[in-house]
Amino acid sequence: MSDQQLPPNIKIVEVGPRDGLQNEVAFVPTSTKIELIRRLLNAGVTHIEAAAFVSPKWVPQMADGAQVLREIGRRDGVSFSALVPNLKGLDAALEAGCDEVAVFAAASETFSQRNINCSIVESIDRFAPVIEKARREGVRVRGYVSCVLGCPFEGEIDPLRVASVTAHLYRMGCYEISLGDTIGTGTPLKARRMIEACTKHVPVSALAGHFHDTWGMATANVYAALQSGVATFDSSVSGIGGCPYSPGATGNVATEDVVYLCHELGLHTGVDLSALMEAGEFISTSLMRSSSSRVARAMAARHARRVS
Ligand code: HMG
Ligand code: MG
């Protein structure tokens, strides 16, 4: 696909408040989570994964999801979502007023066991009543497939396994399937092959790219996915994050970097990059670390040169 044929409108799913913060060891105050989301809204972000209704014994950082969602409240034109591993999580998400929920499976057996304590098949069985109930309640369900371009325990993952789990989730009623390069080992050619395997079963419009940036390939993978026709990307502001069950993995591709790439390609995201940078500065300062976004760092350096 040439650049003239890339999807013109890009949906950015900001996962920083969940994927970004879930891995923080020190508890991030609820007020910081809420302020981060407010700033993301101010930047025009309309899809925000704000919480995870998972076991607080497994992921203590996400224990305050209900309070975060309650205090933010629902907004016209904005979809707040949360991860739910089972019916208990779904009920909590419905109670908290989520617009959307996400179930999360894996293409790797070992990762599935480590992350949600069951096999891939068991997870799919467990998701069936969750998807059914959510849809009955008028809440859309997204599906994740982790380890689509490599597993921290099993290494290479066959694209056909990814396609099979993706097809299952789609047939069960997930409106969108997010393809997670959980450990960030993917490269553009592998990403394209994996997406091609999935599009044999699921329309490309129902696929999302979820690239972690461990090996620095995430924006290259976003570009490869765009060329395959994918128009939805998950990213986290400032590139924060990692997965507690994926040793060595770093954060998602930075939202600033995806937005900059898309805008430079003439694609529309609806996100204001300057306001997004402010949200990134806020969370980097709160976490007492520098931004992982190359674009944010370059823009800050340019700004500093101009004022000196
Ligand atoms: P388990 O221990 O097998 O489940 O965990 P259980 O049913 O035996 O429950 C154990 C305890 O957890 C019980 O409490 C339950 O009530 C409670 P106790 O009786 O001991 O006091 N519990 C819950 N509490 C709150 N909310 C719930 C819930 N469910 C049970 N929903 C379970 C199984 C799935 C619950 C657990 O493994 C879990 O919560 N895992 C979540 C792990 C997680 O959040 N991982 C990170 C997200 S995935 C990711 O980051 C990848 C992604 O970004 C994409 C990518 O990058 O690839 C999405
Ligand atoms: Mg992730």
Side-chain angles (χ1 to χ4, degrees):
M1 191 183 273
S2 75
D3 281 2
Q4 282 76 31
Q5 296 164 311
L6 297 178
N9 294 307
I10 304 303
K11 173 177 156 188
I12 301 286
V13 180
E14 171 60 51
V15 295
R18 193 281 304 172
D19 209 356
L21 296 181
Q22 70 181 8
N23 207 33
E24 289 297 317
V25 179
F27 190 76
V28 177
T30 308
S31 57
T32 303
K33 291 170 179 153
I34 292 168
E35 183 58 24
L36 171 61
I37 293 170
R38 290 218 171 99
R39 286 174 188 245
L40 290 166
L41 291 169
N42 190 42
V45 179
T46 53
H47 293 80
I48 301 179
E49 196 169 78
F53 291 98
V54 298
S55 165
K57 286 181 188 148
W58 284 62
V59 186
Q61 188 62 252
M62 293 285 106
D64 58 352
Q67 197 186 340
V68 170
L69 283 157
R70 204 172 41 244
E71 289 197 28
I72 294 283
R74 286 185 121 147
R75 308 280 174 115
D76 284 344
V78 177
S79 180
F80 291 113
S81 66
L83 287 193
V84 297
N86 50 24
L87 278 169
K88 188 178 172 104
L90 173 66
D91 288 342
L94 293 175
E95 171 84 26
C98 278
D99 300 290
E100 188 174 322
V101 295
V103 294
F104 46 112
S108 146
E109 277 300 341
T110 317
F111 185 82
S112 182
Q113 290 288 354
R114 301 278 179 116
N115 196 36
I116 50 176
N117 208 20
C118 64
S119 70
I120 297 170
V121 169
E122 282 165 342
S123 74
I124 301 273
D125 287 348
R126 194 183 281 174
F127 296 150
V130 175
I131 296 170
E132 228 170 83
K133 182 167 181 181
R135 294 181 75 196
R136 254 196 335 268
E137 299 285 335
V139 167
R140 299 207 298 176
V141 186
R142 191 175 208 234
Y144 276 104
V145 184
S146 287
C147 299
V148 299
L149 293 169
C151 168
F153 313 106
E154 295 182 12
E156 293 277 323
I157 296 290
D158 184 343
L160 295 179
R161 279 168 71 188
V162 180
S164 159
V165 181
T166 299
H168 258 91
L169 292 174
Y170 187 67
R171 279 200 300 268
M172 288 164 76
C174 293
Y175 82 97
E176 184 170 279
I177 314 296
S178 175
L179 301 166
D181 181 15
T182 317
I183 52 168
T185 49
T187 49
L189 197 55
K190 286 180 179 170
R192 290 194 68 159
R193 286 193 184 129
M194 179 275 296
I195 291 163
E196 270 159 32
C198 293
T199 53
K200 294 208 162 59
H201 306 272
V202 174
V204 73
S205 57
L207 296 177
H210 178 111
F211 298 107
H212 284 258
D213 202 24
T214 319
W215 286 69
M217 292 289 115
T219 45
N221 292 334
V222 169
Y223 186 56
L226 279 168
Q227 288 185 313
S228 297
V230 174
T232 299
F233 293 96
D234 303 352
S235 55
S236 80
V237 67
S238 204
I240 51 175
C243 174
Y245 302 101
S246 179
T250 63
N252 296 82
V253 63
T255 310
E256 295 92 321
D257 297 3
V258 178
V259 167
Y260 178 76
L261 172 66
C262 290
H263 291 181
E264 287 295 307
L265 289 168
L267 313 178
H268 180 258
T269 65
V271 179
D272 177 327
L273 186 54
S274 303
L276 182 65
M277 294 251 308
E278 284 170 25
E281 264 170 50
F282 166 77
I283 195 62
S284 300
T285 307
S286 304
L287 299 175
M288 292 187 289
R289 70 180 67 123
S290 53
S291 175
S292 296
S293 161
R294 300 295 293 262
V295 167
R297 293 208 306 250
M299 284 177 85
R302 187 166 66 184
H303 180 72
R305 279 198 302 276
R306 281 194 181 145
V307 294
S308 65

